[in-house]
Amino acid sequence: MMRTRPLKVALLGCGVVGSEVARIMTTHADDLAARIGAPVELAGVAVRRPSKVREGIDPALITTDATALVKRGDIDVVVEVIGGIEPARTLITTAFEHGASVVSANKALLAQDGAALHAAAEANSKDLYYEAAVAGAIPLIRPLRESLAGDKVNRVLGIVNGTTNFILDKMDSTGAGYQEALDEATALGYAEADPTADVEGFDAAAKAAILAGIAFHTRVRLDDVYREGMTEVTSADFASAREMGCTIKLLAICERAGDGASVTARVHPAMIPLTHPLASVRGAYNAVFVESDASGQLMFYGPGAGGSPTASAVLGDLVAVCRNRLSGATGPGESAYAALPVSPMGDVVTRYHISLDVADKPGVLAQVATVFAEHGVSIDTVRQQGKDGEASLVVVTHRASDAALGGTVEALRKLDTVRGVASIMRVEGE
Amino acid sequence: MMRTRPLKVALLGCGVVGSEVARIMTTHADDLAARIGAPVELAGVAVRRPSKVREGIDPALITTDATALVKRGDIDVVVEVIGGIEPARTLITTAFEHGASVVSANKALLAQDGAALHAAAEANSKDLYYEAAVAGAIPLIRPLRESLAGDKVNRVLGIVNGTTNFILDKMDSTGAGYQEALDEATALGYAEADPTADVEGFDAAAKAAILAGIAFHTRVRLDDVYREGMTEVTSADFASAREMGCTIKLLAICERAGDGASVTARVHPAMIPLTHPLASVRGAYNAVFVESDASGQLMFYGPGAGGSPTASAVLGDLVAVCRNRLSGATGPGESAYAALPVSPMGDVVTRYHISLDVADKPGVLAQVATVFAEHGVSIDTVRQQGKDGEASLVVVTHRASDAALGGTVEALRKLDTVRGVASIMRVEGE
């Protein structure tokens, strides 16, 4: 049974993603109507530069006054693809207050203010959907929130930033250094002019906060996520990784900690075995492992960014929210009932690969080993290489807490025989 | 806000999956209540053998009268994990008529009578969910039906039967023959005593019908799915595959055909390149690729069967259906509006690998090549090997229709110089 009055959609932002959303809404209007049970129409598009020509969009719909658009009162769904904190936050809240549900692709905002936005949605009995905020087209939010709603998720581990994966993949496959690989990523449009958000891990950390919150039914804010970028990963690190049968990926890892009474969330480069499925994720693709009590290991893989893939995720949410409007219901809102504490990075337990530059003389290994033992960090393997009076020592530890490892490294730096700590990298996915 | 009157669940079947559903409902009762917004309680468990001891289930809940249980009138959700066509079909229909929604893991029934069951659900304004029917714990139905609701799916290609993947993986990695690998699968519990449903592709065909229906918004019945088992795959086929840089998998493939005006669904063994992610799916795991206009290529990977993984999928649906009950809404029902015709296998276009036993004398290749040309099948590569007056000819074609290939093979068999067609295998995933 098709309702004839169309649902009205306001689009905030008409860049790479927004223009693709508008295009598909037009070209696939009949399919969307059939799937929703009512036609959807673009009722307004808020942009910053109204003079820009936007193919396929009626110029009469274009406005620079986003606030007036979300306040119109006849809008069913606001699609926010502006990004950033303000004005997106105020516009979304205003949309709820004026009767609209919201579909957003805004990871930074959701990671920072997700709880307040969910509360605003709930106070107005509206939906807030944001599948596009994490890993582009890959269905991840919905599977975590709905498909696994009867399971206990223990771990989410994945590559959630395509830019950095492109760079690391390039370094691994061609032997290029970081800067060279970044330059190529920039030239190909995979990296922005200012790549900080990607290469310093801010983007991945926002996604980790969102995923951890949903997976563990606990509020996890951006500030709760330990973050380390990948700008200091070197060709030498890749060589070390290969010697261990590993490669290096920038990973987002959300885990239950200790006995499950707390959670941790972190983003950092890590060595993972070449046999791990994440090791073969190439280019700008994303992939996320989800480990749960009953389901075991699931993996979700696909394009993590780009206009079309992100638009696909936005439109999937749009269909769901429109269906909810028609049935007078709302979808699942924030689920934070577990309210587990978020443990600091020091409590994270993993393995470490440490390269030390040491004096090439007898007794050095014994000194170094003693320091590890004193801090309760158990050594798995040591490899010693001499070169002209200098030597390098590569230590791979058994599982130890980040705090214990930190203490170990601090003590190692104080040894006369240790000239420097060349690199410290976590080893994951084993 | 927690409602205190519990939602009542009737469990039909208490085997490997059912007992796990009951166990998780008990051990995770608080989590389920928090996620649903109301407690859920097991109100009855219908079994065939009531005397069997079932740990953790109150014996007072056990009944052999499944019909009476679904007719009680106070049941909110019936979970059907009996399998097979009857009595499951009648029980599900009766459940709808008596006010319950249904969660089912029954692929055979859904593939055969999905349309009628959806109609019964809709007539009674109830939900019919069945994530567990395809690929165990892997979220696939929900992503296809909801996450990709705003996209146009063009192709679903995957490994959806764990038993046959275990057998093929074993043959590939150890050089074992089919029977030896099957015996091991049986000994390890991966294959049933009667493995027909798995090895002849019936199980995968049912899943293909369900996936094609959802992906293309079109009714696809089990009879519409072309089906070829994998019992005739030999070690020699694996050797041929390796020479092409391929391995062999039993694939379910659902595609838009021709100009997109029809669809096809099929299950058969096929060679796929070792570089394709599906090639590295090991053991009893499942993995499914979904290709769509906007999202590009997505892959979903995980355990495709087993009590716990299947229970995870059932419970995810149970939470969704319970939420719908509380909000007075129903989730998305059958979407078959596109009503595309299902094309026969002859219309499928793909590449072929054909091994011929031929007479070892001049002119044979010319004769064979002429037959291919006469049927409009273009040859990509030919490899000729002589052995004691006999020779083998391995032909790999460019893309051709199954009908054209069939005609070619029929004509080849009539050639005096062709002693036999040793094998024909499709080449996919390139």
Side-chain angles (χ1 to χ4, degrees):
Chain A
M1 195 75 71
M2 182 75 78
R3 200 181 73 150
T4 50
R5 187 181 77 73
L7 289 151
K8 295 188 177 178
V9 175
L11 184 58
L12 309 184
C14 199
V16 177
V17 176
S19 58
E20 194 59 15
V21 169
R23 189 188 68 76
I24 297 174
M25 280 185 67
T26 308
T27 56
H28 290 54
D30 292 348
D31 282 314
L32 291 172
R35 296 173 192 183
I36 291 166
V40 275
E41 77 175 26
L42 206 50
V45 181
V47 301
R48 272 182 306 183
R49 287 176 297 152
S51 57
K52 189 175 161 193
V53 176
R54 293 182 166 82
E55 212 179 319
I57 298 178
D58 180 353
L61 298 178
I62 303 286
T63 174
T64 53
D65 192 346
T67 303
L69 181 56
V70 301
K71 279 187 175 173
R72 264 172 51 169
D74 67 335
I75 302 297
D76 292 285
V77 187
V78 168
V79 172
E80 182 272 306
V81 286
I82 307 174
I85 305 302
E86 285 293 354
R89 177 169 53 193
T90 302
L91 289 169
I92 289 175
T93 310
T94 308
F96 289 139
E97 289 162 1
H98 289 78
S101 282
V102 173
V103 173
S104 170
N106 194 327
K107 55 200 158 256
L109 179 56
L110 264 304
Q112 184 181 304
D113 288 312
L117 294 176
H118 274 294
E122 196 172 344
N124 294 284
S125 300
K126 296 292 171 287
D127 274 326
L128 171 61
Y129 276 49
Y130 45 91
E131 182 68 76
V134 180
I138 309 174
L140 208 51
I141 305 279
R142 185 173 276 106
L144 275 175
R145 184 148 69 175
E146 303 183 38
S147 305
L148 291 167
D151 210 330
K152 184 186 176 192
V153 178
N154 294 313
R155 197 159 192 242
V156 178
L157 173 140
I159 296 165
V160 295
N161 181 276
T163 305
T164 48
N165 198 60
F166 178 91
I167 295 171
L168 291 169
D169 185 20
K170 186 58 63 178
M171 291 175 72
D172 189 24
S173 59
T174 68
Y178 166 71
Q179 189 59 49
E180 189 186 337
L182 171 61
D183 289 346
E184 182 168 349
T186 309
L188 291 171
Y190 288 121
E192 293 179 48
D194 176 359
T196 310
D198 292 319
V199 300
E200 294 295 355
F202 290 101
D203 175 84
K207 292 164 178 169
I210 294 169
L211 291 175
I214 296 172
F216 304 133
H217 300 269
T218 285
R219 278 185 192 152
V220 179
R221 287 171 48 101
L222 187 52
D223 295 345
D224 296 324
V225 182
Y226 173 82
R227 182 191 52 75
E228 219 176 275
M230 44 67 73
T231 57
E232 290 174 21
V233 176
T234 63
S235 309
D237 291 328
F238 273 103
S240 299
R242 265 190 295 274
E243 277 174 26
M244 282 189 66
C246 286
T247 185
I248 298 170
K249 295 290 187 187
L250 184 72
L251 298 180
I253 306 175
C254 315
E255 296 176 308
R256 292 185 190 270
D259 52 358
S262 69
V263 300
T264 61
R266 53 194 165 113
V267 167
H268 54 71
M271 296 185 181
I272 56 165
L274 291 171
T275 52
H276 194 285
L278 289 180
S280 52
V281 175
R282 299 270 165 253
Y285 272 78
N286 284 191
V288 177
F289 262 79
V290 179
E291 297 174 16
S292 311
D293 266 4
S295 75
Q297 263 193 348
L298 302 173
M299 186 174 82
F300 304 81
Y301 168 93
S308 287
T310 308
S312 173
V314 166
L315 286 161
D317 278 354
L318 180 63
V319 170
V321 169
C322 285
R323 280 176 177 157
N324 289 345
R325 298 281 290 195
L326 293 181
S327 67
T330 52
E334 186 189 30
S335 176
Y337 72 90
L340 297 169
V342 183
S343 293
M345 188 60 191
D347 288 5
V348 166
V349 172
T350 187
R351 294 179 65 203
Y352 299 84
H353 178 285
I354 303 136
S355 294
L356 303 171
D357 292 327
V358 297
D360 189 10
K361 58 185 186 187
V364 173
L365 177 54
Q367 276 188 323
V368 166
T370 302
V371 170
F372 276 89
E374 282 169 357
H375 289 82
V377 178
S378 172
I379 292 176
D380 181 17
T381 62
V382 183
R383 205 177 59 247
Q384 216 170 166
Q385 283 174 322
K387 42 169 191 188
D388 314 326
E390 290 278 309
S392 73
L393 214 55
V394 175
V395 179
V396 181
T397 73
H398 285 297
R399 286 169 61 80
S401 76
D402 215 76
L405 197 280
T408 307
V409 170
E410 203 177 322
L412 288 171
R413 288 190 203 275
K414 289 181 185 154
L415 289 181
D416 287 344
T417 48
V418 172
R419 305 276 159 78
V421 180
S423 84
I424 306 168
M425 197 167 291
R426 296 173 187 89
V427 184
E428 305 283 344
E430 292 179 303
Chain B
M1 194 77 72
M2 182 75 78
R3 199 181 73 151
T4 49
R5 187 180 79 73
L7 289 152
K8 293 188 178 176
V9 175
L11 184 59
L12 309 184
C14 198
V16 177
V17 176
S19 59
E20 194 59 14
V21 169
R23 188 188 68 75
I24 297 174
M25 280 185 66
T26 307
T27 55
H28 290 53
D30 291 349
D31 283 314
L32 291 172
R35 295 173 192 184
I36 291 167
V40 275
E41 78 177 24
L42 207 51
V45 182
V47 300
R48 272 185 306 184
R49 288 177 297 153
S51 57
K52 189 176 160 193
V53 176
R54 291 179 167 85
E55 212 179 320
I57 298 178
D58 181 352
L61 297 178
I62 303 287
T63 174
T64 53
D65 192 345
T67 305
L69 180 56
V70 300
K71 280 186 174 173
R72 262 173 52 169
D74 66 336
I75 302 297
D76 291 285
V77 187
V78 168
V79 172
E80 183 271 306
V81 286
I82 307 173
I85 304 302
E86 285 293 354
R89 177 170 54 194
T90 303
L91 289 169
I92 289 174
T93 311
T94 308
F96 289 139
E97 290 163 1
H98 289 79
S101 283
V102 172
V103 174
S104 171
N106 195 327
K107 56 200 156 255
L109 179 57
L110 265 302
Q112 184 180 305
D113 289 312
L117 293 176
H118 273 296
E122 197 173 340
N124 294 283
S125 301
K126 296 293 170 288
D127 274 327
L128 172 61
Y129 276 49
Y130 45 91
E131 181 68 76
V134 180
I138 309 173
L140 209 49
I141 306 280
R142 185 174 276 105
L144 274 175
R145 183 147 70 176
E146 303 183 38
S147 305
L148 292 166
D151 209 330
K152 184 185 176 194
V153 178
N154 294 313
R155 197 161 193 240
V156 178
L157 173 140
I159 296 165
V160 295
N161 181 274
T163 305
T164 49
N165 198 61
F166 179 90
I167 295 170
L168 291 169
D169 185 20
K170 186 58 61 177
M171 291 174 72
D172 189 23
S173 58
T174 68
Y178 166 70
Q179 189 59 49
E180 188 186 339
L182 171 61
D183 290 346
E184 183 169 348
T186 309
L188 292 171
Y190 287 120
E192 292 179 48
D194 176 359
T196 310
D198 293 318
V199 300
E200 293 296 354
F202 291 100
D203 174 86
K207 292 163 179 171
I210 295 170
L211 291 175
I214 296 172
F216 305 133
H217 300 269
T218 285
R219 278 184 192 152
V220 179
R221 286 171 49 102
L222 187 52
D223 295 344
D224 296 324
V225 182
Y226 173 82
R227 183 192 51 75
E228 217 176 276
M230 44 69 72
T231 58
E232 290 173 23
V233 175
T234 63
S235 308
D237 290 329
F238 273 102
S240 299
R242 264 190 296 273
E243 276 173 26
M244 285 190 63
C246 287
T247 186
I248 298 170
K249 296 290 188 187
L250 184 73
L251 297 181
I253 306 175
C254 314
E255 295 175 309
R256 292 186 190 271
D259 54 356
S262 68
V263 300
T264 60
R266 53 193 165 115
V267 167
H268 55 70
M271 295 186 182
I272 56 165
L274 291 171
T275 51
H276 194 285
L278 289 181
S280 52
V281 175
R282 298 270 165 252
Y285 273 78
N286 283 191
V288 177
F289 263 78
V290 179
E291 296 174 17
S292 310
D293 266 4
S295 75
Q297 264 194 347
L298 302 173
M299 186 175 81
F300 304 82
Y301 168 94
S308 287
T310 308
S312 173
V314 166
L315 286 160
D317 279 353
L318 180 63
V319 169
V321 169
C322 286
R323 280 176 176 157
N324 289 345
R325 298 282 289 195
L326 293 181
S327 67
T330 52
E334 187 189 28
S335 175
Y337 72 90
L340 297 170
V342 183
S343 294
M345 188 60 192
D347 288 4
V348 166
V349 172
T350 186
R351 295 178 65 203
Y352 300 84
H353 178 285
I354 303 137
S355 294
L356 303 171
D357 293 325
V358 297
D360 190 8
K361 58 185 187 188
V364 173
L365 177 54
Q367 277 188 321
V368 166
T370 303
V371 170
F372 276 89
E374 282 170 356
H375 290 82
V377 178
S378 172
I379 292 177
D380 181 17
T381 63
V382 183
R383 205 177 58 246
Q384 215 170 167
Q385 283 174 324
K387 42 169 191 188
D388 314 326
E390 290 278 310
S392 73
L393 214 54
V394 174
V395 179
V396 181
T397 74
H398 285 297
R399 286 167 61 79
S401 77
D402 214 77
L405 196 281
T408 307
V409 170
E410 203 178 324
L412 287 171
R413 288 189 203 276
K414 290 180 185 154
L415 289 181
D416 288 343
T417 48
V418 171
R419 306 276 159 80
V421 179
S423 84
I424 306 168
M425 198 167 290
R426 296 173 187 86
V427 184
E428 304 284 344
E430 291 178 305

